[in-house]
Amino acid sequence: MTAASAAAMEQEAEATCLQSFELYESESRLYILGTNSDKTLWRLLKIDRSEPSELVIDECSTVYSDSEHHDLLRGLDEEHRSTGGVKFVTKFYGIIGFIKFLGPYYMLIITEQKRIGEIFAHPVYQVTRTAMVELANSKTRSTFQSSKDENRYKKILSTLDLRKDFFFSYSYHIMRSLQKNLSDPHQEGWTLYETMFVWNEFLTRRIRNCLRNTLWTVALVHGFFKQDKFSISGKDIMLTLIARRSRHYAGTRYLKRGVNEKGRVANDVETEQIVYEAVPGPSEVSSVVQNRGSIPLFWSQETSKLNLKPNIILHEMDDDYEATKLHFENLRTRYGNPIIILNLIKTRERRESILRREFDKAIKIINKSLSEEDHLRFLHWDLHKNSQGKPTNVLDVLLKVAFRALSLTEFFYCQVAPSSETAAHWSTLLSGLEPYLCDDNSNSDNTECSEIVGDISQEDISGSSDSSGNATAEDKVENSELPPLKPPKFQKGVLRTNCIDCLDRTNVAQYAYGLAALGHQLHALGAIESPELGLEAPLAHHLMHFYERMGDTLAVQYSGSAAHNKIFSAKRGHLKLFIQSQEFFRTLQRHYSNTCIDANKQAAINLFLGYFQPQQGKPALWELESSSGEHNNELSDDHTSTLKRIRSDGSILHESGASISGSGHCHNEPLSASLPDVQSGLQVPNLESDSIHENEVSSGYESGVSHLRYTPTASDILHVPRADPDNDSGDSNFLDLEWLSTSGNSSDERSVATSTPDANLSTENVISGITPEIMENQVAEIQAQKLPDDFVQWVNHGDTFWY
């Protein structure tokens, strides 16, 4: 091979991602050979096995051709002939990361994957099978004592099923929105791993520190991905729905509620809806992003096996609502202005109304300190009350809210012209947008793009929603072969929706916003004449299926059961008995998961995310949890700062700039700056006893140990928020409620007595929207199935159950 060809191959290798890997082992080393999609280029990674409690990785700088790859293997086998040679272990598709408990390091790899879609020519894959490879060899393994705790940790990690709803792409930054990818295309892989939606950021941190690249790892996103193609007006349209779950303050329903001190909220999910014409060559693309997340206050609910309706408890009221303010500042950094809050919780039900009043007060106090431009827009609208009559009527109202919100945030649209020969490369896809690309230093999706190349005014970029106009001569790009480009549009701001769990009611509202956006997106693509799609349109039913699937998936992840889809089912015309029975059994399934499974699941999540790092000589988590409060007092002197920040998840965002010095060879560099901020508060599940046997977590790093669950003292608890009549200024500051009430919802005209839910009925975690009369009918129906009366009473009212 000539020097020129070798240099060309090396340059191509740097621009090519590795997509397939072969793992070989010798007595002293693991060898990984990685190749590109067409297996023309190969690279070599070496992992030392002589010191398995340390991670020593060496990346060979040579790039090998396919024929050289076979020669390389023969040479490695000859080198280790005296100790048994080199043996093939497995083929795999990417490194998830490295983890260490009390003994050696383990490498997590993807051994099977399934293609679930693509963004343009960039495939998206779902993890379908994984493996954990121990780095210790036969000699070094004997130096580690056989530890029950070590096996216990491995069992804990295995309870996090990576085969469910984890996806990735080799060539597309799936952890970012399309607008962010196109507006800021030059982000390096290192930085992208530190975004809030990459769940294996912690597990990959050491190898990224060593190699200063991300060639060997994949960035896993947790959430939902669904894609389908449909035809409209003679055009093939690709519809993609992506939900990205944040790794910050992540966990299960009753173990993660509200906000932490850094402004991170539970169940924080970004939803993106991408629409483009599925044709090669010049293409138009559009996307819109919305957000859901727990109410950003300090609040909790205690799990109870005997009560389906645990009380809502507010903690440590802060007059300035600093954590709430941090949360909305983070949203503004990510999405820009305006931040629109759609709060769907109940206004008259005792437990939910506590949060409703306090959230309203927090918003208004925060707005007093903000400029008018930065004001939070809000709407408090009781979806449960308004669905008491005809449940489907709420969709009419929510669609009006969605259109109003969309007019404020707008959506992303641009024309891209990837070359047919190199469509698989992201840089080429961007070529058609170059005249309109924004400042590379942009940190958020609210790109206003003041420095647009070409004679494009700001009004053209962020003005009206009519994108059907033709570009002027000045808009044409230098390449005369490309057709004129329409001016792009950018989303500025975001709609943030919440209920109590941010699952069932929230998903209905997100569907309405997605439907409003879809009409505008298809209109921008020239597929339909009017930007408004009605609820009865065939596409509306198609989109409903997408959002229903997403809602079920997100609900299982957070609460353990599929979503309560009463409104969707009613829209499809399902029988009331069928809907009630489905809601009933999903309630039972959710309650069982919350009381019996979630602690184990939370433990696995926190271990995977790096919030718990076991250490020799430190108490195991199950020991801490089974001990008395006196033991916690023993820790308080040494870990004062930890206990003060007990509600925080300890952001593992790489904020302090860990060292990435050195070449490919790394000897377990100190990571004090890059390890998770354990001191900010380790999250530990509230385990009841050792009967949950192998599914707890141990923690402990140099910065200390603390509890997952924050158990408030009496002085921390506030069941009823403080009244502030001066802040009672209405339920919305961005739309006319009178106009909203003209939606034709018959329940608006119902009497207060009829529309006010019974205090004994469940909130979102029970069967929402069922009156006492309906409940009695349901009891009769269930009794017809010969279930005991006590059992039905327990399910309906959460009373003590003696079975």
Side-chain angles (χ1 to χ4, degrees):
M1 181 185 297
T2 65
S5 60
M9 180 177 290
E10 185 168 348
Q11 184 177 1
E12 183 181 351
E14 290 179 358
T16 303
C17 58
L18 303 180
Q19 299 189 18
S20 182
F21 305 86
E22 296 174 354
L23 176 63
Y24 296 85
E25 68 172 350
S26 69
E27 187 64 21
S28 59
R29 281 180 177 175
L30 291 177
Y31 293 100
I32 299 176
L33 286 165
T35 185
N36 55 357
S37 57
D38 54 6
K39 298 187 177 180
T40 57
L41 303 172
W42 292 80
R43 304 194 70 152
L44 176 64
L45 189 71
K46 306 172 186 178
I47 303 175
D48 186 63
R49 306 183 73 186
S50 59
E51 292 291 339
S53 60
E54 297 182 358
L55 191 58
V56 182
I57 303 175
D58 188 9
E59 182 182 35
C60 182
S61 59
T62 305
V63 179
Y64 302 92
S65 65
D66 190 46
S67 59
E68 291 172 330
H69 151 250
H70 297 289
D71 294 336
L72 174 64
L73 283 175
R74 283 191 289 270
L76 293 174
D77 186 63
E78 185 65 30
E79 179 182 342
H80 295 278
R81 183 63 57 85
S82 61
T83 55
V86 172
K87 301 174 183 177
F88 174 77
V89 179
T90 185
K91 179 180 179 180
F92 67 100
Y93 299 95
I95 297 175
I96 296 174
F98 294 85
I99 192 167
K100 181 180 184 294
F101 307 120
L102 299 174
Y105 268 97
Y106 300 88
M107 179 173 64
L108 280 71
I109 57 176
I110 300 170
T111 54
E112 290 183 11
Q113 63 183 15
K114 179 176 71 175
R115 181 166 172 161
I116 55 176
E118 64 177 42
I119 308 295
F120 286 86
H122 303 271
V124 179
Y125 299 94
Q126 178 183 337
V127 178
T128 57
R129 191 173 182 182
T130 62
M132 186 162 67
V133 180
E134 183 178 340
L135 299 195
N137 58 25
S138 58
K139 292 181 179 179
T140 57
R141 190 176 294 116
S142 61
T143 63
F144 297 102
Q145 297 179 354
S146 179
S147 169
K148 291 183 179 179
D149 287 351
E150 181 80 5
N151 293 330
R152 198 169 188 176
Y153 283 120
K154 289 194 284 187
K155 290 257 186 161
I156 292 165
L157 191 64
S158 67
T159 61
L160 181 62
D161 193 349
L162 297 179
R163 300 170 301 173
K164 293 183 178 179
D165 314 318
F166 282 88
F167 52 93
F168 65 95
S169 175
Y170 296 109
S171 54
Y172 178 78
H173 302 321
I174 195 72
M175 75 292 290
R176 307 170 88 210
S177 69
L178 182 66
Q179 174 172 316
K180 200 174 214 14
N181 278 328
L182 288 173
S183 301
D184 188 13
H186 305 299
Q187 283 279 353
E188 296 182 359
W190 174 274
T191 306
L192 295 175
Y193 270 75
E194 294 169 351
T195 61
M196 63 191 295
F197 301 118
V198 177
W199 270 55
N200 57 332
E201 188 276 339
F202 166 72
L203 296 179
T204 60
R205 191 178 295 165
R206 289 181 180 271
I207 185 173
R208 289 184 289 115
N209 269 330
C210 288
L211 306 182
R212 297 184 296 170
N213 66 51
T214 57
L215 285 174
W216 303 88
T217 58
V218 296
L220 291 184
V221 177
H222 186 36
F224 175 80
F225 184 97
K226 181 173 173 58
Q227 188 173 68
D228 196 14
K229 187 188 296 184
F230 62 89
S231 296
I232 183 170
S233 301
K235 291 188 174 184
D236 289 331
I237 302 296
M238 187 70 77
L239 171 64
T240 306
L241 189 63
I242 305 172
R244 306 176 180 96
R245 183 175 291 282
S246 171
R247 62 181 168 87
H248 299 303
Y249 208 48
T252 56
R253 190 185 183 200
Y254 288 137
L255 298 177
K256 282 292 182 292
R257 289 296 212 195
V259 70
N260 68 10
E261 289 180 344
K262 293 193 174 185
R264 309 291 189 182
V265 295
N267 201 16
D268 189 345
V269 181
E270 176 184 273
T271 299
E272 182 179 20
Q273 181 174 292
I274 301 175
V275 179
Y276 61 88
E277 188 175 0
V279 294
S283 182
E284 299 167 281
V285 61
S286 174
S287 81
V288 67
V289 171
Q290 54 182 318
N291 176 264
R292 70 172 74 188
S294 190
I295 296 173
L297 301 170
F298 292 118
W299 64 282
S300 66
Q301 287 179 281
E302 292 297 324
T303 308
S304 171
K305 291 184 178 179
L306 303 180
N307 185 7
L308 276 76
K309 306 178 297 179
N311 286 330
I312 291 174
I313 304 171
L314 286 169
H315 308 288
E316 291 185 4
M317 306 288 289
D318 177 6
D319 290 338
D320 296 325
Y321 298 97
E322 288 299 328
T324 309
K325 190 182 301 183
L326 279 174
H327 171 67
F328 289 116
E329 287 175 359
N330 177 265
L331 282 180
R332 187 174 292 108
T333 300
R334 286 156 57 187
Y335 304 111
N337 282 324
I339 303 299
I340 304 173
I341 301 162
L342 177 55
N343 178 27
L344 302 173
I345 63 177
K346 301 173 185 176
T347 55
R348 292 184 174 89
E349 197 265 355
R350 180 180 62 84
R351 295 174 308 131
E352 293 198 18
S353 61
I354 292 173
L355 284 177
R356 186 258 187 244
R357 289 193 297 269
E358 196 64 30
F359 192 22
D360 180 64
K361 180 182 175 184
I363 292 169
K364 291 168 182 174
I365 287 179
I366 290 171
N367 273 346
K368 287 181 179 179
S369 64
L370 300 175
S371 65
E372 187 173 349
E373 179 187 359
D374 291 341
H375 269 193
L376 303 172
R377 316 291 179 92
F378 64 89
L379 169 64
H380 303 291
W381 191 72
D382 187 341
L383 185 146
H384 179 273
K385 182 186 75 173
N386 286 279
S387 64
Q388 293 276 316
K390 187 178 179 183
T392 55
N393 283 342
V394 300
L395 289 172
D396 296 318
V397 180
L398 291 172
L399 196 58
K400 294 179 74 172
V401 175
F403 279 125
R404 173 60 177 154
L406 192 65
S407 70
L408 296 174
T409 64
E410 302 191 60
F411 60 97
F412 177 65
Y413 164 83
C414 74
Q415 238 178 330
V416 291
S419 163
S420 59
E421 295 180 0
T422 55
H425 296 292
W426 180 243
S427 58
T428 311
L429 182 144
L430 297 172
S431 61
L433 192 62
E434 280 297 335
Y436 307 116
L437 285 182
C438 308
D439 184 1
D440 287 344
N441 295 322
S442 170
N443 291 321
S444 64
D445 283 337
N446 62 313
T447 328
E448 294 188 3
C449 297
S450 56
E451 299 181 5
I452 301 292
V453 180
D455 188 15
I456 305 295
S457 68
Q458 186 66 27
E459 184 178 357
D460 289 332
I461 298 168
S462 58
S464 69
S465 60
D466 181 11
S467 61
S468 59
N470 295 324
T472 63
E474 289 81 5
D475 298 333
K476 296 181 179 180
V477 294
E478 294 181 5
N479 188 348
S480 60
E481 296 179 1
L482 294 176
L485 297 180
K486 298 177 186 178
K489 297 180 181 298
F490 295 91
Q491 179 174 342
K492 306 177 299 298
V494 73
L495 174 65
R496 182 200 192 275
T497 307
N498 72 265
C499 45
I500 291 296
D501 292 328
C502 302
L503 297 176
D504 312 323
R505 288 169 281 184
T506 293
N507 205 58
V508 174
Q510 289 210 326
Y511 160 66
Y513 186 75
L515 181 60
L518 181 61
H520 282 77
Q521 290 175 294
L522 292 174
H523 179 67
L525 268 59
I528 58 176
E529 293 183 0
S530 170
E532 294 192 11
L533 283 176
L535 289 167
E536 302 305 323
L539 275 179
H541 293 276
H542 190 60
L543 188 69
M544 183 190 296
H545 176 67
F546 269 62
Y547 276 84
E548 188 172 19
R549 283 281 304 277
M550 180 184 75
D552 286 341
T553 300
L554 297 179
V556 168
Q557 292 167 9
Y558 185 60
S559 72
S561 82
H564 291 295
N565 291 318
K566 181 180 68 173
I567 292 176
F568 289 152
S569 296
K571 185 67 179 174
R572 291 193 176 93
H574 292 168
L575 294 176
K576 186 177 292 186
L577 176 61
F578 168 80
I579 297 173
Q580 292 171 2
S581 300
Q582 183 184 61
E583 300 294 283
F584 177 81
F585 287 108
R586 285 185 178 180
T587 294
L588 294 183
Q589 184 183 15
R590 187 172 294 187
H591 181 70
Y592 172 78
S593 178
N594 298 160
T595 56
C596 302
I597 298 175
D598 282 1
N600 305 337
K601 188 175 176 181
Q602 184 70 59
I605 289 173
N606 283 276
L607 189 61
F608 185 85
L609 294 176
Y611 299 144
F612 304 106
Q613 297 169 65
Q615 189 176 20
Q616 292 283 4
K618 298 290 184 179
L621 178 72
W622 45 86
E623 295 173 348
L624 289 175
E625 287 299 319
S626 61
S627 63
S628 65
E630 296 175 357
H631 183 76
N632 297 332
N633 293 334
E634 293 173 6
L635 291 176
S636 62
D637 292 336
D638 296 331
H639 309 286
T640 303
S641 59
T642 303
L643 297 176
K644 284 183 179 179
R645 298 174 60 84
I646 205 163
R647 288 188 310 273
S648 173
D649 69 328
S651 170
I652 60 174
L653 188 63
H654 185 68
E655 294 171 344
S656 53
S659 169
I660 55 173
S661 60
S663 60
H665 193 229
C666 174
H667 290 279
N668 196 31
E669 297 176 2
L671 295 175
S672 58
S674 61
L675 282 171
D677 183 9
V678 184
Q679 190 169 0
S680 297
L682 296 175
Q683 302 301 324
V684 183
N686 191 10
L687 305 176
E688 297 182 24
S689 70
D690 281 338
S691 62
I692 310 179
H693 96 167
E694 297 155 327
N695 293 319
E696 296 89 344
V697 172
S698 171
S699 74
Y701 203 74
E702 294 177 359
S703 53
V705 180
S706 69
H707 300 289
L708 172 72
R709 291 297 303 274
Y710 172 58
T711 304
T713 62
S715 61
D716 296 328
I717 300 176
L718 186 64
H719 291 277
V720 180
R722 295 165 292 186
D724 190 353
D726 296 334
N727 283 325
D728 188 17
S729 58
D731 287 335
S732 181
N733 64 353
F734 81 99
L735 52 74
D736 185 348
L737 293 177
E738 231 177 277
W739 165 79
L740 193 62
S741 66
T742 61
S743 64
N745 189 343
S746 59
S747 65
D748 289 341
E749 301 172 2
R750 298 169 69 90
S751 67
V752 173
T754 304
S755 61
T756 303
D758 191 311
N760 288 326
L761 292 184
S762 168
T763 59
E764 186 176 75
N765 62 319
V766 192
I767 307 172
S768 300
I770 299 178
T771 63
E773 292 78 15
I774 296 176
M775 186 66 79
E776 290 174 5
N777 293 336
Q778 181 178 333
V779 170
E781 294 160 3
I782 299 303
Q783 285 177 338
Q785 302 176 38
K786 303 188 183 302
L787 293 175
D789 293 343
D790 293 15
F791 180 81
V792 177
Q793 180 75 7
W794 169 67
V795 170
N796 288 334
H797 301 292
D799 298 331
T800 302
F801 175 49
W802 303 101
Y803 187 63

